[in-house]
Amino acid sequence: MHQRPVLLVIAHGSRDPRHAATVHALVRRVRSRRPGLRVEVGFLDFNIPSVQGVLESLAAEGVQDVVALPLLLTRAFHAKADIPAVLAGAPPRLRIRQAEVLGPSPLLLSALERRLHEAGLRPADKSSTGIVLASAGSTDPEAIAVIADIAREWRDTGWRAVRPAFASAALPRTEDAVRELRALGCERVAVAPYVLAPGFLPDRIARGAAEADVLADVLGPAPEVARLLLNRYDAALAPRLAAVGA
């Protein structure tokens, strides 16, 4: 029986211990959704195991096929440069496919809504509530444009208004978007962090939400995020499976 490629989830890493704990919780949920799939996690920085260390261990075990999945919401610098560079240094016996980043995806919008409802918003509140879609921020114009597109798409699902905001590298900041929605006349304002795990920038988002009525939790191990990881894994393997069936 042919062994399924290992799913290697590549996380950024952080000095904040909550980051790694949240990543591991998400990976556990992915494993529970597909028990026959081997799922490993490696970090680009700050945490262990490193991506390179995991790749070397897999090669030493005799693993041949790996799907490397960036635990990122946009195609910014880490997805375009850092991760390909690390994968290029992998042991030559490994066949590695790099999956797409997680966003944008309708599943992420579903996860954002889940977090808002968990924070106390009701479906009936939707048409009178303004949302701040608060991301970490990036110097990559493509990534910034994607966040703006997601905000427009989310607004079309029935919210009073949705404004993008950024914790770094771009404007507006969360607190400015909150004030803009107040000035617009929104009955309530909620901040939805478009981030996967706690850390320095998510904490900045939380501080910027001080004047909002609702602050949702980070996406973390939401069921929709776990499902999305598996979707990206399957999509990365689709050309391989088609070739096998040809």
Side-chain angles (χ1 to χ4, degrees), residues 3-167:
Q3 190 174 30
R4 288 190 220 180
V6 172
L7 170 55
L8 172 58
V9 176
I10 300 179
H12 182 275
S14 171
R15 292 186 178 90
D16 189 322
R18 297 173 298 167
H19 174 90
T22 302
V23 171
H24 286 300
L26 174 57
V27 168
R28 286 194 297 272
R29 176 154 262 166
V30 173
R31 288 177 181 140
S32 72
R33 290 184 68 94
R34 196 171 295 183
L37 175 63
R38 180 173 177 181
V39 186
E40 300 291 343
V41 61
F43 296 90
L44 291 173
D45 207 354
F46 302 117
N47 302 105
I48 56 172
S50 68
V51 176
Q52 188 64 32
V54 174
L55 292 170
E56 289 172 358
S57 295
L58 291 173
E61 288 179 33
V63 170
Q64 295 181 328
D65 291 289
V66 175
V67 171
L69 196 160
L71 197 61
L72 301 169
L73 296 174
T74 59
R75 271 187 51 76
F77 181 78
H78 293 302
K80 294 177 179 178
D82 283 355
I83 291 175
V86 171
L87 297 180
R93 68 166 290 138
L94 291 176
R95 291 189 294 264
I96 301 176
R97 296 165 182 81
Q98 183 175 332
E100 290 296 322
V101 297
L102 299 182
S105 167
L107 284 170
L108 290 174
L109 287 182
S110 296
L112 286 165
E113 298 224 354
R114 171 188 292 274
R115 293 303 189 222
L116 285 168
H117 294 153
E118 289 170 351
L121 281 185
R122 302 165 302 165
D125 297 329
K126 201 163 188 175
S127 61
S128 57
T129 300
I131 301 294
V132 178
L133 179 67
S135 77
S138 173
T139 56
D140 189 311
E142 178 188 348
I144 297 301
V146 166
I147 299 300
D149 287 344
I150 293 168
R152 284 191 289 270
E153 178 185 346
W154 203 14
R155 161 68 180 80
D156 291 341
T157 67
W159 295 102
R160 170 74 172 81
V162 180
R163 295 288 187 271
F166 307 94

